[in-house]
Amino acid sequence: MKNIRNISIIAALIVFNSSFAQIAIGKQIIDGGSTVLDFDNVSGNTKGLILPATSGFSTGSLANGTFIFDVTDNKVKVYENDVWKSLSDAGNSSAVVVNNSAETGKGVIMGDSTSPADGVLVLESQNKAMILPKIAAPHLNVKNPYPGMICYDTTSKTLAVFDGSVWNYWK
């Protein structure tokens, strides 16, 4: 009887968590109620989010808002209004380690139980967003950035993306 009660409690927590999923990585508390994914943004942070390195996708079949590091032209890109838009100049993908393993499953969906988007990590929410890792002056403080690294520069108050050669900044 005790095991059935424990299983019921665990099942209820899983259902609750999948309905109202807010995830913190590297910390215990999420910044704000409008966040689906948050990172440990302590002062002195030098760790950013690494985008998937890929050789591009066909247009028309992707979800707008998809970010990648395209190794065919060494650019960080976002899929917007059914077109790939470059967020960086041509960089360098020589440091990229290619994963040739077959993918299994549909990936992880946060913020909702399902999504029409197909990705390794899909953030799906009508009223929550992701807070990028925050780094002060990443071009000075991240000693070994990886191609496709993305963060929020707290010094210039811009989106920063590393293309394998240089940091690119977007307001």
Side-chain angles (χ1 to χ4, degrees), residues 62-78:
L62 297 171
N64 287 317
T66 299
F67 284 84
I68 62 167
F69 178 74
D70 192 337
V71 296
T72 57
D73 59 5
N74 297 320
K75 293 181 178 182
V76 175
K77 297 179 178 178
V78 62

Side-chain angles (χ1 to χ4, degrees), residues 1 24 28-30 45 49 65 94 97 102 104-105 121 129 134 160 168:
M1 190 63 140
Q28 298 296 316
I29 299 171
I30 294 172
N45 179 41
L49 179 66
S94 63
V97 177
T104 60
L121 174 62
K134 297 175 185 173
N168 298 264

Side-chain angles (χ1 to χ4, degrees), residues 20-145:
F20 303 99
Q22 289 184 293
I23 306 295
I25 297 177
K27 64 182 190 173
Q28 298 296 316
I29 299 171
I30 294 172
D31 293 339
S34 297
T35 306
V36 71
L37 180 61
D38 193 5
F39 298 90
D40 189 14
N41 288 317
V42 296
S43 178
N45 179 41
T46 60
K47 298 188 183 339
L49 179 66
I50 306 295
L51 298 173
T54 181
S55 57
F57 292 104
S58 60
T59 58
S61 62
L62 297 171
N64 287 317
T66 299
F67 284 84
I68 62 167
F69 178 74
D70 192 337
V71 296
T72 57
D73 59 5
N74 297 320
K75 293 181 178 182
V76 175
K77 297 179 178 178
V78 62
Y79 195 69
E80 181 179 84
N81 298 322
D82 300 322
V83 175
W84 283 111
K85 293 189 178 180
S86 296
L87 295 179
S88 74
D89 295 326
N92 181 349
S93 61
S94 63
V96 173
V97 177
V98 179
N99 178 0
N100 291 320
S101 302
E103 289 188 36
T104 60
K106 293 249 327 153
V108 174
I109 301 169
M110 290 183 186
D112 204 342
S113 57
T114 63
S115 174
D118 186 19
V120 174
L121 174 62
V122 178
L123 305 179
E124 192 72 51
S125 178
Q126 295 295 315
N127 59 2
K128 292 184 174 65
M130 175 180 69
I131 297 175
L132 286 172
K134 297 175 185 173
I135 302 174
H139 63 286
L140 299 175
N141 293 315
V142 179
K143 301 303 178 200
N144 295 306

Side-chain angles (χ1 to χ4, degrees), residues 151-163:
C151 64
Y152 179 77
D153 181 357
T154 58
T155 304
S156 66
K157 299 190 179 352
T158 58
L159 172 70
V161 294
F162 185 69
D163 64 19

